[in-house]
Amino acid sequence: MNRFEADRRFAQRMRDNYPPGTRIMLLQMGDDPHPIEPNTRGTVTVVDDMGTLHCNFDNGRQLGIVPGVDSFRRLTDQELAEENDSRKKQLTEMSEDELYERNIFRFDNFDDFFDFIYDENTDKGDVINDMSQQMKRQIVSENYGERYIEADGAFYYNSECFTEMCSPQNDEQDNSPVLGM
């Protein structure tokens, strides 16, 4: 196998293991002149053709992580659950003004939340309204899963994405560190 094919396969392996939305923890940066602090968490936005993971970090910075130079790992299921619990608690404690400032909508029940999403965004409202509650929940989960959080019976919707909620689950995920030099 030539060098080009090896690099292509490596980049594809990184894409498969770290799809957009994957939550990671940076353990250490290699030789970056302005490194991100160790143990900073971030969300993968894209993996480029060289296998570099481009991330939005929780401290507001955006930077590429270079496998083999930088050390990082995927967050564990327990860490993801803790982030979700923390986000839910934070949302339930926000005032209406704080939610508004963050472009987050709160709905007191699922039907109001569903009507907001689908009655506003489709011309097939009659067909959708005849669906069962279970079918509606499945549609919302599949299409808006990373944009809403259910907490204490209320539904919180953000047209962007709840960063901590953007983490595709993979039963075969490997949380072991990718070590740099």
Side-chain angles (χ1 to χ4, degrees):
M1 170 180 359
N2 65 31
R3 180 74 179 148
F4 174 77
E5 182 61 20
D7 289 347
R8 187 192 68 73
R9 287 183 181 187
F10 173 76
Q12 187 58 51
R13 191 168 53 252
M14 296 306 290
R15 282 188 197 98
D16 293 343
N17 290 331
Y18 301 95
T22 301
R23 296 283 292 157
I24 65 161
M25 179 181 290
L26 178 67
L27 302 174
Q28 182 178 1
M29 292 212 79
D31 58 359
D32 193 285
H34 303 287
I36 292 177
E37 292 292 317
N39 300 319
T40 301
R41 294 179 180 195
T43 304
V44 175
T45 57
V46 69
V47 177
D48 68 20
D49 291 339
M50 295 299 295
T52 300
L53 282 71
H54 295 272
C55 301
N56 290 335
F57 287 93
D58 294 356
N59 64 4
R61 294 198 47 202
Q62 298 175 341
L63 198 61
I65 305 268
V66 181
V69 175
D70 304 319
S71 301
F72 62 96
R73 69 173 177 79
R74 180 190 297 263
L75 295 185
T76 65
D77 287 340
Q78 180 179 345
E79 289 168 327
L80 293 170
E82 289 168 358
E83 283 188 347
N84 288 341
D85 290 345
S86 174
R87 174 58 95 187
K88 287 179 182 181
K89 184 176 188 304
Q90 182 182 12
L91 284 170
T92 58
E93 293 173 352
M94 283 185 191
S95 69
E96 290 295 324
D97 288 340
E98 290 171 311
L99 291 170
Y100 178 79
E101 289 170 3
R102 290 168 176 81
N103 197 28
I104 298 171
F105 299 92
R106 180 182 188 276
F107 299 91
D108 291 326
N109 61 61
F110 179 78
D111 289 331
D112 290 346
F113 171 53
F114 187 85
D115 290 345
F116 172 79
I117 293 172
Y118 283 100
D119 286 350
E120 298 293 325
N121 297 317
T122 184
D123 58 353
K124 298 183 176 26
D126 293 337
V127 173
I128 289 174
N129 286 329
D130 289 338
M131 291 180 182
S132 70
Q133 189 80 349
Q134 180 179 359
M135 179 70 82
K136 289 179 181 181
R137 284 183 179 269
Q138 182 178 346
I139 288 172
V140 168
S141 178
E142 289 173 1
N143 295 299
Y144 295 91
E146 61 190 31
R147 293 187 239 160
Y148 84 95
I149 296 175
E150 183 176 359
D152 293 339
F155 293 82
Y156 298 87
Y157 173 76
N158 183 327
S159 60
E160 296 296 319
C161 176
F162 288 107
T163 302
E164 286 78 9
M165 295 295 287
C166 296
S167 51
Q169 296 301 312
N170 179 349
D171 293 338
E172 298 175 16
Q173 69 186 10
D174 180 8
N175 295 328
S176 59
V178 176
L179 301 176
M181 300 176 94

